């Protein structure tokens, strides 16, 4: 594929995902309040990202601090209005780098991380909005805070001066996602949180219909992951 073709198709994929979201918003009566589309660029190099930036896209997601640190500072220098979202599991010893690099963190999932993030935010005087990642399917192997621990983690995070703005989830693989999205939507309501980060390439339409405010879409925009 030539470079021109690949940038055309990235732009086309973005337009097609945006059209799907707009149609879902019409159906769900939220055309005036659409979700924010985060383009998840993990594993993809800067050359794959710049066509979306050229289309005016501003919100991007990464799941590894180290990869983001290698890729984004140069891009952001040229495009200072980009917003970078941390969506992957975060080690406490990377909290300082995460606070420095990212504009939003979707994967706050435990008290020790809240403590590390709170300390880094205080040191850097940068209070990055966070979402609590919830283990919505109560899966053994899955990261995320247990549903029954949300209130306590919220207290801990607020005690460390972390602005918590919402909840995030990844439904169990291979199951109908709608009930899990509906549960996250209800839990966010119960805890008085406005933001719901849910919906990926396979289910962003469903998530939009159920009230997602942030969609995290990778392969539908960038093609299969590399490396
Ligand atoms: C990779 C990733 C996504 C995007 O996945 P796609 O299926 O490629 O859209 C969304 N959320 C998280 C947490 C991810 O790690």
């Amino acid at each position: 594929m030539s470079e021109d073709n690949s940038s055309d198709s990235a732009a086309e994929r973005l337009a097609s995902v945006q059209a799907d979201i707009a149609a879902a918003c019409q159906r769900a009566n939220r055309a005036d309040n659409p979700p924010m589309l985060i383009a998840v660029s993990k594993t993809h190099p800067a050359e794959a990202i710049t066509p979306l930036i050229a289309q005016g896209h501003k919100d991007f997601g990464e799941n590894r601090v180290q990869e983001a640190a290698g890729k984004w500072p140069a891009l952001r220098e040229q495009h200072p209005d980009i917003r970078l979202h941390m969506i992957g599991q975060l080690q406490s010893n990377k909290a300082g780098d995460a606070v420095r690099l990212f504009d939003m963190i979707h994967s706050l999932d435990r008290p020790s991380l809240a403590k590390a993030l709170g300390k880094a935010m205080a040191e850097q005087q940068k209070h990055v909005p966070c979402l609590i990642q919830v283990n919505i399917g109560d899966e053994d192997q899955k990261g995320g805070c247990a549903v029954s621990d949300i209130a306590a983690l919220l207290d801990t995070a607020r005690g460390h001066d972390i602005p918590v703005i919402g909840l995030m989830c990844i439904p169990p693989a291979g199951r109908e996602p709608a009930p899990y999205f509906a549960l996250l939507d209800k839990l966010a309501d119960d805890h008085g949180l406005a933001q719901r980060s849910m919906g990926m390439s396979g289910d962003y339409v469903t998530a939009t219909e159920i009230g997602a405010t942030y969609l995290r879409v990778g392969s539908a925009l960038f093609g299969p992951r590399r490396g």
Side-chain angles (χ1 to χ4, degrees), residues 20 28-29 44 84 111 126 159 194 198-199 206 225:
D20 289 347
N29 241 324
H44 297 284
L84 205 53
K126 184 184 177 197
M198 56 190 199
T206 303
R225 282 192 264 289

Side-chain angles (χ1 to χ4, degrees), residues 28-29 54 57 60 71 88 99 109 147 160 173 179 181 185 189 196 207 213 219 225:
N29 241 324
H57 198 75
F60 291 87
K71 206 154 68 181
V99 166
D109 61 355
V147 167
H160 291 288
F181 293 155
D185 184 62
D189 264 347
R196 295 103 161 101
T213 62
S219 42
R225 282 192 264 289

Side-chain angles (χ1 to χ4, degrees), residues 93-189:
N93 63 6
K94 301 259 171 67
D97 291 334
V99 166
R100 204 168 295 116
L101 276 165
F102 290 96
D103 300 292
M104 195 175 286
I105 295 171
H106 295 237
S107 46
L108 171 54
D109 61 355
R110 59 196 191 278
S112 57
L113 180 60
K115 188 177 172 202
L117 285 171
K119 183 165 174 273
M121 288 181 195
E123 282 167 4
Q124 297 179 36
Q125 304 267 318
K126 184 184 177 197
H127 288 268
V128 179
C130 291
L131 293 88
I132 290 179
Q133 181 175 353
V134 180
N135 184 356
I136 201 74
D138 196 20
E139 297 173 274
D140 282 345
Q141 309 292 344
K142 194 87 148 239
C145 162
V147 167
S148 54
D149 292 341
I150 295 171
L153 183 53
L154 197 50
D155 273 356
T156 301
R158 287 178 173 153
H160 291 288
D161 276 337
I162 297 174
V164 180
I165 61 169
L167 301 179
M168 179 273 231
C169 76
I170 305 169
R175 301 245 203 97
E176 166 58 45
Y180 298 99
F181 293 155
L183 177 57
L184 194 82
D185 184 62
K186 179 186 180 298
L187 289 167
D189 264 347

Side-chain angles (χ1 to χ4, degrees), residues 40 42 63 87 168 170 200-201 216-219 225:
V40 178
K42 65 189 189 200
N63 70 335
I87 62 168
M168 179 273 231
I170 305 169
M200 303 171 37
S201 289
R216 310 178 311 269
V217 176
S219 42
R225 282 192 264 289

